[in-house]
């Protein structure tokens, strides 16, 4: 059996000679027999992780590798024993539709210490594992890269202590890493979408669509708090797709007089005949001084100034739950398969990579380069360089934000203008109020 694949690498071109310029691979069944691969999930769970785990296992088995689950993330790697088990084809049957991660995820303080990483290295050597697929956020991926960098010295320590043999030290002297980003926040730079983001948006939109019905009946204002401690992607896309009246996100804080602008916007909406208002607040929303803007604070502003019947709904971990969307299932499958191929093609000089989504292509990017770009966003926000923070998030984030701003410009009723068409209120003289 021969599998023919075409994939896009960073910097590949398109055009008449596309077939000649793109890399082509013939993948023969059993072509990498004897290699050991392990897959684990770490950090917060997200829908679509199981699809990625399934793809890693089946792609690895197809290529002749011995594939292992590492249960409970880094903690399972450190503890070893029954936490590291060999997977077979049927091990991943009937999991693609399940949310979360069937192999578990856990925070691990032990792995932060060298002694813990040394235990993990011993457990991997005993199983013959020299290839790791890490599914998690930037913290999990950074830990994996450190593990890879320390691998030779960890083996030397194990050899010196008599915990492994010279033959094992030589046979397993290289460790290769491939990362997949599983995060509902879409907070990792270098990929258009992270595994789980699309499903989380589905959960949020379903909830808002349900709330709109009761809000309309009672002419209420609802404030919806969505996840996004350090990234406002969920809040912005939710606002765009639910026709929200105002949105608060950490990368693009509102102006200092946001309470006035918010109330003015809501008043305009009601004056235009709207019976309800929806406000989206990211859990990490802040003002331009870095002070948190909470759902409670927003409610206080609305109630004190407009006397509107206002309610707060915090969706919380509902956003993480439920079955993954079709998009996340496909994304997990494609990224998982590409991660295995990246490991099989790795050489001793190959740096750790992360499999990302660029347009509709799965591409490999240097892992730490993407991690540093992600950290640069946090630094820009800490330095209050808001435009730079939005720019660093990437084109998709910036375009969604600009699209929301454009589509929520609202014309006030005719009563707000004089006979010449000039606005009677200084706040509405331009004919619209931005909702961000």
């Amino acid at each position: 059996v021969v599998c023919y694949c075409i994939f896009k690498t960073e910097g590949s071109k398109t055009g008449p000679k596309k077939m000649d310029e793109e890399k082509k691979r013939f993948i023969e069944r059993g072509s990498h027999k004897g290699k050991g691969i392990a897959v684990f999930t770490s950090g917060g769970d997200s829908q679509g992780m199981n699809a990625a785990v399934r793809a890693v296992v089946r792609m690895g088995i197809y290529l002749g590798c011995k594939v292992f689950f590492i249960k409970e993330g880094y903690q399972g790697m450190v503890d070893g024993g029954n936490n590291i088990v060999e997977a077979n084809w049927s091990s991943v049957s009937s999991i693609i539709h399940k949310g979360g991660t069937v192999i578990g995820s856990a925070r691990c303080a032990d792995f932060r210490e060298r002694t813990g990483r040394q235990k993990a290295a011993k457990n991997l050597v005993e199983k013959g594992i020299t290839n790791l697929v890490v599914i998690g956020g930037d913290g999990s991926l950074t830990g994996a890269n450190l593990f890879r960098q320390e691998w030779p010295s960890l083996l030397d320590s194990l050899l010196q202590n008599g915990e492994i043999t010279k033959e094992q030290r030589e046979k397993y002297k290289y460790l290769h890493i491939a990362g997949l980003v599983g995060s509902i926040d879409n907070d990792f730079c270098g990929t258009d979408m992270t595994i789980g983001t699309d499903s989380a948006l589905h959960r949020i939109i379903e909830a808002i669509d349900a709330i709109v019905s009761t809000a309309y009946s009672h002419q209420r204002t609802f404030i919806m708090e969505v996840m996004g401690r350090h990234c406002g992607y969920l809040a912005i896309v939710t606002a765009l797709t639910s026709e929200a009246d105002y949105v608060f996100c950490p990368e693009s804080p509102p102006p200092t007089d946001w309470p006035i602008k918010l109330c003015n916007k809501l008043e305009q909406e009601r004056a235009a005949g709207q019976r309800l208002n929806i406000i989206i607040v990211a859990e990490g929303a802040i003002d331009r001084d870095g002070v948190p803007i909470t759902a409670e604070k927003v409610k206080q502003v609305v109630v004190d100034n407009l006397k509107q019947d206002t309610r707060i709904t915090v969706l919380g971990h509902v956003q993480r739950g439920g079955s993954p969307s079709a998009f996340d299932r496909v994304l997990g499958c494609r990224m998982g398969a590409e991660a295995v191929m990246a490991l099989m093609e790795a050489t001793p000089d190959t740096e750790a990579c992360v499999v990302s989504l660029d347009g509709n292509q799965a591409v490999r990017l240097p892992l730490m380069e993407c991690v540093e770009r992600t950290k640069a966003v946090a630094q820009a926000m800490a330095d209050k360089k808001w435009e730079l923070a939005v720019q660093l998030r990437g084109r998709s984030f910036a375009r969604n934000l600009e699209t929301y701003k454009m589509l929520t410009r609202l014309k006030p009723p005719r009563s707000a203008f004089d006979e010449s068409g000039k606005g009677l209120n200084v706040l509405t003289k331009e004919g619209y109020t931005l909702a961000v």
Side-chain angles (χ1 to χ4, degrees):
V1 179
V2 177
C3 177
Y4 177 63
C5 293
I6 300 176
F7 73 102
K8 177 182 176 183
T9 55
E10 185 66 7
S12 65
K13 301 177 182 179
T14 57
K17 298 181 179 180
K18 179 178 179 182
M19 289 295 293
D20 295 329
E21 293 173 352
E22 286 186 330
K23 291 186 178 181
K24 303 176 185 178
R25 295 175 296 183
F26 284 96
I27 308 169
E28 295 185 12
R29 189 179 209 173
S31 57
H32 294 276
K33 190 172 184 178
K35 292 186 177 181
I37 300 180
V39 58
F40 68 98
T41 52
S42 177
D45 65 322
S46 62
Q47 308 96 320
M49 280 185 167
N50 289 326
V53 169
R54 174 179 176 271
V56 170
V57 170
R58 292 195 168 178
M59 190 66 169
I61 292 173
Y62 176 82
L63 295 176
C65 303
K66 290 186 72 174
V67 186
F68 295 84
F69 293 134
I70 299 179
K71 298 180 180 180
E72 312 306 335
Y74 284 114
Q75 191 64 57
M77 192 187 299
V78 173
D79 295 342
N82 293 331
N83 290 302
I84 304 178
V85 297
E86 187 172 355
N88 55 48
W89 195 269
S90 62
S91 297
V92 290
S93 296
S94 302
I95 68 168
I96 195 171
H97 65 283
K98 295 181 179 179
T101 165
V102 296
I103 57 176
S105 178
R107 309 289 180 185
C108 182
D110 294 337
F111 196 80
R112 296 178 183 272
E113 306 297 329
R114 181 179 170 84
T115 53
R117 294 192 290 274
Q118 190 167 306
K119 290 179 183 177
K122 179 186 176 183
N123 291 329
L124 296 187
V125 169
E126 288 178 347
K127 297 289 187 179
I129 298 168
T130 55
N131 299 279
L132 286 179
V133 178
V134 189
I135 308 174
D138 61 323
S140 301
L141 300 180
T142 301
N145 188 65
L146 174 62
F147 189 44
R148 173 182 172 274
Q149 292 172 341
E150 289 185 345
W151 183 257
S153 65
L154 292 172
L155 294 194
D156 288 338
S157 297
L158 291 171
L159 178 61
Q160 188 175 6
N161 296 339
E163 296 181 75
I164 62 172
T165 65
K166 290 183 179 180
E167 290 75 17
Q168 288 176 316
R169 171 66 181 86
E170 180 62 25
K171 185 176 181 179
Y172 305 119
K173 59 184 176 180
Y174 298 115
L175 178 69
H176 301 295
I177 300 289
L180 307 180
V181 188
S183 168
I184 69 167
D185 293 340
N186 203 31
D187 55 356
F188 192 81
C189 294
T191 184
D192 291 346
M193 289 285 274
T194 57
I195 297 171
T197 302
D198 185 69
S199 300
L201 285 170
H202 277 276
R203 298 291 95 75
I204 296 169
I205 296 304
E206 287 170 2
I208 292 179
D209 287 348
I211 279 175
V212 162
S213 301
T214 184
Y216 183 90
S217 300
H218 298 278
Q219 300 189 60
R220 284 179 176 144
T221 293
F222 268 88
I223 300 167
M224 309 290 295
E225 183 184 294
V226 300
M227 284 187 169
R229 213 170 10 180
H230 306 294
C231 179
Y233 183 88
L234 288 179
I236 290 171
V237 177
T238 296
L240 181 62
T241 54
S242 66
E243 205 174 8
D245 302 304
Y246 216 90
V247 61
F248 294 90
C249 69
E251 294 91 345
S252 182
T256 53
D257 60 343
W258 68 264
I260 296 174
K261 292 187 178 295
L262 171 63
C263 292
N264 179 64
K265 179 70 164 61
L266 300 184
E267 281 188 315
Q268 287 183 47
E269 294 280 6
R270 293 300 176 103
Q274 187 164 305
R275 289 176 58 87
L276 64 102
N277 296 111
I278 298 293
I279 302 167
I280 307 298
V281 181
E283 63 177 330
I286 53 176
D287 63 20
R288 292 191 170 266
D289 295 321
V291 179
I293 297 177
T294 64
E296 287 289 347
K297 183 182 288 188
V298 176
K299 178 183 178 181
Q300 199 64 45
V301 168
V302 175
V303 172
D304 290 349
N305 292 278
L306 301 180
K307 312 301 181 188
Q308 290 183 1
D309 186 1
T310 306
R311 306 296 172 91
I312 295 174
T313 298
V314 179
L315 295 180
H317 284 75
V318 167
Q319 296 159 89
R320 286 190 188 276
S323 298
S325 65
F327 181 89
D328 276 326
R329 298 183 198 197
V330 173
L331 184 63
C333 288
R334 293 182 60 188
M335 285 187 167
E338 185 63 30
V340 173
M341 290 311 306
L343 292 174
M344 296 302 98
E345 295 170 2
T347 66
D349 298 325
T350 303
E351 62 183 318
C353 74
V354 60
V355 179
S356 302
L357 183 69
D358 181 9
N360 66 345
Q361 300 284 346
V363 301
R364 305 172 195 170
L365 298 177
L367 189 154
M368 290 313 297
E369 180 181 307
C370 294
V371 169
E372 291 304 319
R373 285 168 58 188
T374 303
K375 291 180 178 178
V377 177
Q379 187 59 52
M381 292 165 61
D383 296 337
K384 298 180 175 59
K385 298 179 180 178
W386 310 116
E387 291 184 3
L388 177 61
V390 171
Q391 179 185 345
L392 290 172
R393 277 291 180 216
R395 291 171 298 176
S396 175
F397 185 94
R399 287 171 180 169
N400 283 329
L401 181 59
E402 288 305 313
T403 301
Y404 175 73
K405 288 179 179 180
M406 181 63 67
L407 296 182
T408 50
R409 290 176 173 175
L410 178 72
K411 287 187 176 181
R414 291 182 179 180
S415 58
F417 297 93
D418 61 20
E419 293 181 356
S420 65
K422 183 178 180 181
L424 298 175
N425 187 316
V426 66
L427 292 175
T428 59
K429 63 182 181 181
E430 294 183 3
Y432 61 83
T433 299
L434 287 180
V436 65

